[in-house]
Amino acid sequence: MSTSRRALLGAAVSGAAGTATGLLAAAPAHAASWQQKWAPTAAGDGLGAFETVEDDRADSHPAGHPHIYATGDNWRFTMHTVDRDTSTDRQRQEVTGLRTGGSYLKWTQGQTWRITYSMYIPSSLKATTTFTHIMQMKQPGNGTSPIVVQSLRRVNGVQTIELNLPVAGVLVGRTGLDPLHDRWTDVDFQIKVGDGTAGSVRWILKSGSTTVIDKSRTGVDTFLADRVRPKWGIYRSLGDTSGSLQDTYLLLTDLRGYQLV
């Protein structure tokens, strides 16, 4: 990542930390601030940055292995049209969790977390009429519903990127995908883990110095049970009717994790 883009991400974290501190300034004993808890590098940590790696779980395309790997400063998620997940109506190449040494970070009820990173979405990774998720938040375990999804979705034929809270039934925000194709986009995502109406989220996308979208929702459900665990990669349905599925990839870099403490 360029120095200017690193500076933008750093400024975003510092600015939001100040906002959070201001909101809680009335508490005399402690002013909350963002504390960095996770700062892996692709070159240094590789796939060891994550709790688990879900690379072609069904072994559907051995010739394409590895589909997920570190390359230079980036993590790459490659998807071929022949790839199949264990549920054969969909495709999945994802990583989960925030590993730190021999352990991993656990996001539990009442905590507030923040993830910043940059993603490169090539024009070959298109929005679809059915689901194409490039980030999820879930309770660990098979068959659990997604709590948060960042998705590429066609709406009335238009390619968009959106953030949804499926458990809460809330669309947080949506913006056009075309201007973000073939360039780096900075992501700043915050979540307060809360059951019922105790949760909140904020979703910011920046392209260079331009804020593409900045949306927040409070009073929403962001918890099922146990803990919340982030996932990144490409997870998409084969049911698309727009002809948008093709060989593609996603790049991530400069992943950072912060807790409000």
Side-chain angles (χ1 to χ4, degrees), residues 165-227:
L165 308 179
V167 171
V170 172
L171 173 65
V172 177
R174 176 186 288 150
T175 190
L177 177 62
D178 282 337
L180 304 183
H181 269 146
D182 299 323
R183 66 186 63 198
W184 287 98
T185 301
D186 295 329
V187 182
D188 185 341
F189 175 77
Q190 303 165 41
I191 180 171
K192 180 179 179 182
V193 181
D195 200 16
T197 59
S200 64
V201 298
R202 185 179 182 187
W203 181 52
I204 306 170
L205 299 181
K206 290 189 175 183
S207 181
S209 60
T210 301
T211 298
V212 177
I213 192 168
D214 183 346
K215 295 291 184 180
S216 301
R217 290 297 296 262
T218 59
V220 292
D221 193 349
T222 58
F223 182 75
L224 289 173
D226 185 21
R227 60 187 173 106

Side-chain angles (χ1 to χ4, degrees), residues 8 24 34 84 99 102 156 160 180 245 257:
L8 281 170
L24 300 175
W34 293 110
R84 295 293 182 271
R99 182 167 293 280
N156 298 322
T160 73
L180 304 183
L245 300 179

Side-chain angles (χ1 to χ4, degrees), residues 14-221:
S14 298
T19 301
T21 302
L23 288 172
L24 300 175
H30 176 69
S33 62
W34 293 110
Q35 301 295 313
Q36 184 172 283
K37 300 290 186 178
W38 187 59
T41 65
D45 298 282
L47 297 182
F50 307 106
E51 183 179 339
T52 69
V53 178
E54 299 174 350
D55 186 330
D56 194 11
R57 301 188 305 175
D59 199 27
S60 67
H61 187 202
H65 289 185
H67 297 81
I68 307 171
Y69 55 92
T71 173
D73 292 331
N74 308 317
W75 287 276
R76 179 181 172 113
F77 303 80
T78 302
M79 184 68 77
H80 309 98
T81 56
V82 297
D83 297 345
R84 295 293 182 271
D85 193 25
T86 49
S87 296
T88 56
D89 63 342
R90 63 197 61 193
Q91 304 175 297
R92 183 198 303 268
Q93 310 292 0
E94 291 183 305
V95 296
T96 78
L98 288 64
R99 182 167 293 280
T100 56
S103 186
Y104 50 84
L105 299 176
K106 296 182 179 180
W107 298 10
T108 57
Q109 195 168 183
Q111 294 180 339
T112 300
W113 288 88
R114 181 194 196 109
I115 293 290
T116 64
Y117 61 96
S118 292
M119 62 182 177
Y120 185 91
I121 304 176
S123 55
S124 58
L125 181 50
K126 303 182 186 304
T128 55
T129 55
T130 48
F131 68 83
T132 294
H133 303 322
I134 57 173
M135 182 272 283
Q136 301 187 73
M137 304 277 166
K138 298 187 73 176
Q139 171 194 340
N142 294 328
T144 59
S145 299
I147 299 165
V148 179
V149 288
Q150 182 176 247
S151 309
L152 311 181
R153 188 181 303 278
R154 285 188 179 267
V155 180
N156 298 322
V158 176
Q159 295 195 77
T160 73
I161 182 170
E162 64 181 29
L163 190 84
N164 257 293
L165 308 179
V167 171
V170 172
L171 173 65
V172 177
R174 176 186 288 150
T175 190
L177 177 62
D178 282 337
L180 304 183
H181 269 146
D182 299 323
R183 66 186 63 198
W184 287 98
T185 301
D186 295 329
V187 182
D188 185 341
F189 175 77
Q190 303 165 41
I191 180 171
K192 180 179 179 182
V193 181
D195 200 16
T197 59
S200 64
V201 298
R202 185 179 182 187
W203 181 52
I204 306 170
L205 299 181
K206 290 189 175 183
S207 181
S209 60
T210 301
T211 298
V212 177
I213 192 168
D214 183 346
K215 295 291 184 180
S216 301
R217 290 297 296 262
T218 59
V220 292
D221 193 349

